[in-house]
Amino acid sequence: MNPITENVRIVPAGDHALAAEFGNKIDPAVNNRVHALAARIQEASITGVTELVPTFCSLLIIYEPSILKYEELKSMIMQLVQLPEASVSGTGRVLNIPCCYGSHFGPDLPDLERYTGIDRDEIITIHSGAEYKVYMLGFLPGFVYLGGLDERIAMPRLSTPRVKIPKGAVGIGGNQTGVYPLESPGGWRLIGSTPLDFYNPNRDDPVLCRAGDIIHFYPVTSSDYYDIRRMQTHGDWTLEL
């Protein structure tokens, strides 16, 4: 059996959307199936489908009911689900993201050292050496939920969330890592910060990342951090792919 067809469930989601559900757990294989179906729908260019919203284990498919009826779309989606695996083409982008670890950028790094028993240099090496998949976006515009955190540096969220977390903060929450695209409250453990704008409403594409992208963090100094911010402001910075 084609892996994408296993346990898939298609259900209505309001009057102009349906959801393809692949289970109820956070798992790389499940999320791969979500993105495989999204790729197939994009390739099919179904008239009336207006937006696709991948999540951890489901795909929300928004459509225009005056053009496309629910049962008609459901039938099309089931046909796409059953296509051979080889018909899926394309993968997410690989994005290299600078991160300044520690100092005032990462106030929770000392707590992470104590909790894990690993010194900060090794924590930075582990965090920046992993490959993270953007499972989904949510919570804030451009907030990425990343899978792939090494379990050695996993740590529970703060018992009392901070009222204000700075834009660009890189944090760990349980077995996930992520980036705060805007100043906001939050309970993740802060270990560093990226100078890149994960959300900028003035850009042609306001959100930096897409679901399905792969992120690699690489360490930079505080001097590099401010240089990159300055270059980004003046349009002289190009994201490394």
Side-chain angles (χ1 to χ4, degrees), residues 23 32 39 44 47 51 67 69 79 84 91 96 101 118 130 166 183 185 196 206 221 231:
N32 286 342
T47 301
E51 188 176 1
I67 299 174
K69 302 306 179 187
Q79 290 176 29
T91 58
N96 295 303
Y101 292 93
I118 302 172
E183 184 180 278
L196 301 187
T221 65
M231 287 188 290

Side-chain angles (χ1 to χ4, degrees), residues 92-101 124-134 144 146-148 170 177 179 193-196 198 208-209 212-220 237 239-241:
R93 302 168 301 168
V94 178
L95 311 179
N96 295 303
I97 304 297
C99 180
C100 186
Y101 292 93
I124 293 169
T125 297
I126 293 170
H127 188 266
S128 61
E131 178 178 280
Y132 301 102
K133 182 179 180 181
V134 180
V144 290
L146 304 177
V170 176
T177 188
V179 179
S193 181
T194 178
L196 301 187
F198 269 54
L208 183 68
C209 303
D213 285 347
I214 301 296
I215 285 180
H216 293 282
F217 291 101
Y218 65 93
V220 296
W237 175 259
L239 178 67
E240 291 188 31
L241 299 175

Side-chain angles (χ1 to χ4, degrees), residues 7 11-12 15 21 38 54 56 74 78-79 82 86 90 92 101 112 124 138 170 180 183 186 190 213-214 229:
N7 302 319
V11 295
D15 60 1
E21 300 177 343
F56 287 116
K74 179 178 179 179
M78 286 305 301
Q79 290 176 29
Q82 294 166 11
Y101 292 93
L112 189 58
I124 293 169
V170 176
Y180 284 84
E183 184 180 278
L190 307 184
D213 285 347
I214 301 296
R229 280 220 62 83

Side-chain angles (χ1 to χ4, degrees), residues 108 156-165 180 185-189:
D108 294 321
R157 294 166 173 79
L158 294 168
S159 56
T160 302
R162 290 182 171 92
V163 174
K164 185 184 294 184
I165 288 180
Y180 284 84
W188 290 32
R189 308 278 181 164

Side-chain angles (χ1 to χ4, degrees), residues 50-70:
T50 58
E51 188 176 1
L52 302 175
V53 184
T55 70
F56 287 116
C57 52
S58 66
L59 178 67
L60 183 68
I61 304 158
I62 300 173
Y63 64 96
E64 176 50 62
S66 65
I67 299 174
L68 195 58
K69 302 306 179 187
Y70 170 79

Side-chain angles (χ1 to χ4, degrees), residues 14-238:
D15 60 1
H16 65 289
L18 59 80
E21 300 177 343
F22 294 91
N24 58 3
K25 64 179 180 178
I26 300 174
D27 178 84
V30 171
N31 192 249
N32 286 342
R33 294 168 68 202
V34 171
H35 291 288
L37 179 57
R40 292 177 179 184
I41 294 171
Q42 289 174 329
E43 290 173 357
S45 299
I46 300 174
T47 301
V49 170
T50 58
E51 188 176 1
L52 302 175
V53 184
T55 70
F56 287 116
C57 52
S58 66
L59 178 67
L60 183 68
I61 304 158
I62 300 173
Y63 64 96
E64 176 50 62
S66 65
I67 299 174
L68 195 58
K69 302 306 179 187
Y70 170 79
E71 291 296 339
E72 182 183 7
L73 178 57
K74 179 178 179 179
S75 175
M76 291 179 180
I77 298 304
M78 286 305 301
Q79 290 176 29
L80 292 175
V81 164
Q82 294 166 11
L83 289 176
E85 192 72 20
S87 70
V88 179
S89 65
T91 58
R93 302 168 301 168
V94 178
L95 311 179
N96 295 303
I97 304 297
C99 180
C100 186
Y101 292 93
S103 184
H104 66 281
F105 294 118
D108 294 321
L109 198 50
D111 288 340
L112 189 58
E113 287 184 283
R114 287 188 288 271
Y115 181 83
T116 63
I118 302 172
D119 68 58
R120 69 179 55 206
D121 288 341
E122 183 65 14
I123 289 172
I124 293 169
T125 297
I126 293 170
H127 188 266
S128 61
E131 178 178 280
Y132 301 102
K133 182 179 180 181
V134 180
Y135 276 1
M136 61 176 285
L137 290 91
F139 170 53
L140 293 168
F143 187 95
V144 290
Y145 288 90
L146 304 177
L149 182 72
D150 192 304
E151 63 181 13
R152 290 175 293 171
I153 58 172
M155 187 177 183
R157 294 166 173 79
L158 294 168
S159 56
T160 302
R162 290 182 171 92
V163 174
K164 185 184 294 184
I165 288 180
K167 168 185 171 181
V170 176
I172 288 175
N175 62 354
Q176 294 188 84
T177 188
V179 179
Y180 284 84
L182 299 168
E183 184 180 278
S184 72
W188 290 32
R189 308 278 181 164
L190 307 184
I191 62 171
S193 181
T194 178
L196 301 187
D197 290 333
F198 269 54
Y199 175 72
N200 183 340
N202 298 317
R203 285 193 307 237
D204 291 340
D205 190 352
V207 176
L208 183 68
C209 303
R210 306 166 190 159
D213 285 347
I214 301 296
I215 285 180
H216 293 282
F217 291 101
Y218 65 93
V220 296
T221 65
S222 57
S223 178
D224 291 335
Y225 174 94
Y226 291 112
D227 284 344
I228 293 170
R229 280 220 62 83
R230 185 167 53 253
M231 287 188 290
Q232 183 180 227
T233 301
H234 293 93
D236 297 328
W237 175 259
T238 301

